[in-house]
Amino acid sequence: MKCHACGQDNADSALFCTACRRPLVAPTKLPTRLEPLAATAVPSVPAMPAPTPPAPAPGDLGGHNRYAPPETGVPGRASRLGDPSEVLTDEDARAAVIGDSNTVYYLGRFDRIAHGESGGWNWPAFLVTWYWMLYRKMWVPALLYFVAPYFVMALLFGVAAASPAVGAVLWLAWVAAWLIGPGLLANGWYYGHVRRKIRDVRARGGSKDQIVTRLEAAGGTSSVAVIVVAVLCVLVVPGMLAAIALPAYQTYTVKAKVADAILESTAVATVAGRQFEATGQYPTDIDRIAQQVPQQSKYVRGFEIDGLSGTITVRIQATPSIDGSIRLTPYVDDQRHVTWSCSTTDLLRYVPKSCRG
């Protein structure tokens, strides 16, 4: 019995093919069909045998030679190495690392640097160097820029201690380089940073799309600078406002306390002036008068009066650390009417203008 799958001849009693091990099916006898007799007999033409396909070459699997170079792949499939669209140019790689922010500007600067020209001036790097480095994901330069001044200043202080003249010159040179250097060299620094990113990503290999995706992930811009600025605004700005507002508030409260003490002092001086107008003498019991006036102030620590000139000295303590005194000097006119003037030497910052004469 002949195997229909591989053509192997087997015994009539065999159930499976001895070559391919497939089950053997005995041919069934088809029923005959009565055909009408043809008028004329047509001679039969023998069929042409089918051409035998050539044997596959060693290593050829399914019509594809696995030992062939990539350029000779399966027909109809484009080769990556032969497709010009799959070649990643330097400009495309740089644009992927730069990202969407100022891409045209930096591509132009990088092209100049690649041709041996100057990278030009970079205003963001000049004005906010550290934040610009964080924004461009230049982590190591940003760390060095943040830490380097402390070591340089320590070195300059040591040099200045040994030789003030040399220390002053080096200090000026350092300040000039620190302020102007980033603006001049930033584009070159960034160009070197971009080249290193491209070199590292290309060394890993992959298709054009994979390389571009990795470059975009490694490059671009970062929001760390924005976060740092926001944190500084949250922490530093309130501190700066407090440093400005707190002394102003303290000064305001001290002025209010001193004004309250001056109000009682003026009331006491008015009573003393009326007594002089009535008797021609100033009172000697000034403390008794101070206890009788309605305007009492807890910031007045005592009164003293000169019986001859009538000058009243008032001791004031606004806070535990701020105290002083004011003097109320009488002026008597021809009708023996008394007016008072106020002066001080140790509370000038807190007394009103009328008490600074």
Side-chain angles (χ1 to χ4, degrees):
M1 185 181 295
K2 192 170 186 176
C3 179
H4 295 281
C6 64
Q8 176 69 25
D9 290 328
N10 301 277
D12 294 338
S13 61
L15 298 178
F16 296 91
C17 179
T18 58
C20 64
R21 307 303 298 172
R22 294 186 181 183
L24 298 174
V25 180
T28 59
K29 190 174 182 180
L30 297 178
T32 60
R33 179 180 178 184
L34 297 177
E35 296 289 344
L37 294 176
T40 57
V42 179
S44 60
V45 180
M48 296 294 293
T52 303
D60 190 356
L61 301 178
H64 175 68
N65 191 349
R66 63 181 179 180
Y67 301 112
E71 291 80 4
T72 60
V74 178
R77 181 182 301 174
S79 172
R80 288 192 177 276
L81 297 179
D83 189 358
S85 63
E86 294 295 336
V87 178
L88 182 64
T89 63
D90 291 339
E91 184 175 358
D92 293 338
R94 294 169 186 168
V97 178
I98 295 171
D100 298 331
S101 179
N102 293 332
T103 308
V104 177
Y105 168 80
Y106 284 111
L107 286 178
R109 299 297 177 177
F110 290 174
D111 185 67
R112 293 177 55 181
I113 296 174
H115 289 82
E117 301 179 8
S118 173
W121 184 264
N122 191 312
W123 280 107
F126 170 71
L127 297 175
V128 284
T129 307
W130 191 58
Y131 300 103
W132 174 80
M133 290 179 177
L134 293 177
Y135 182 69
R136 288 295 169 181
K137 293 186 177 181
M138 301 171 65
W139 310 123
V140 176
L143 178 62
L144 295 177
Y145 186 85
F146 184 80
V147 176
Y150 301 100
F151 294 96
V152 174
M153 285 190 291
L155 179 61
L156 292 178
F157 281 131
V159 174
S163 176
V166 176
V169 173
L170 292 178
W171 181 263
L172 292 176
W174 161 250
V175 172
W178 183 253
L179 295 177
I180 302 176
L184 290 174
L185 304 176
N187 289 330
W189 294 343
Y190 191 37
Y191 176 69
H193 170 77
V194 170
R195 288 188 60 188
R196 287 189 294 271
K197 291 292 182 182
I198 296 174
R199 180 194 61 197
D200 295 341
V201 171
R202 278 179 167 170
R204 298 170 57 185
S207 64
K208 177 182 177 181
D209 294 338
Q210 292 175 339
I211 294 176
V212 170
T213 302
R214 293 169 187 166
L215 290 176
E216 291 175 349
T221 57
S222 172
S223 58
V224 172
V226 179
I227 296 175
V228 170
V229 172
V231 171
L232 291 179
C233 290
V234 172
L235 299 179
V236 176
V237 173
M240 295 175 60
L241 295 177
I244 297 173
L246 186 60
Y249 174 75
Q250 292 176 343
T251 301
Y252 170 78
T253 56
V254 172
K255 286 183 177 181
K257 295 174 181 179
V258 172
D260 184 70
I262 292 176
L263 184 62
E264 180 185 355
S265 304
T266 304
V268 172
T270 301
V271 174
R274 289 175 181 174
Q275 181 173 339
F276 180 83
E277 293 173 356
T279 63
Q281 293 181 351
Y282 293 103
T284 56
D285 54 348
I286 192 70
D287 291 331
R288 179 184 60 82
I289 296 176
Q291 295 176 359
Q292 295 177 354
V293 297
Q295 296 85 1
Q296 296 290 323
S297 175
K298 62 181 179 180
Y299 306 109
V300 175
R301 293 293 176 263
F303 291 89
E304 294 179 1
I305 187 170
D306 187 345
L308 297 179
S309 63
T311 301
I312 301 175
T313 303
V314 185
R315 297 188 303 276
I316 301 174
Q317 186 170 13
T319 65
S321 59
I322 299 176
D323 59 356
S325 61
I326 61 172
R327 290 189 305 171
L328 299 175
T329 305
Y331 292 92
V332 183
D333 58 12
D334 296 339
Q335 285 78 27
R336 210 163 64 179
H337 179 70
V338 181
T339 58
W340 300 87
S341 64
C342 178
S343 63
T344 183
T345 56
D346 45 10
L347 293 175
L348 286 174
R349 183 180 177 183
Y350 308 106
V351 296
K353 292 182 179 180
S354 59
C355 203
R356 297 177 184 176

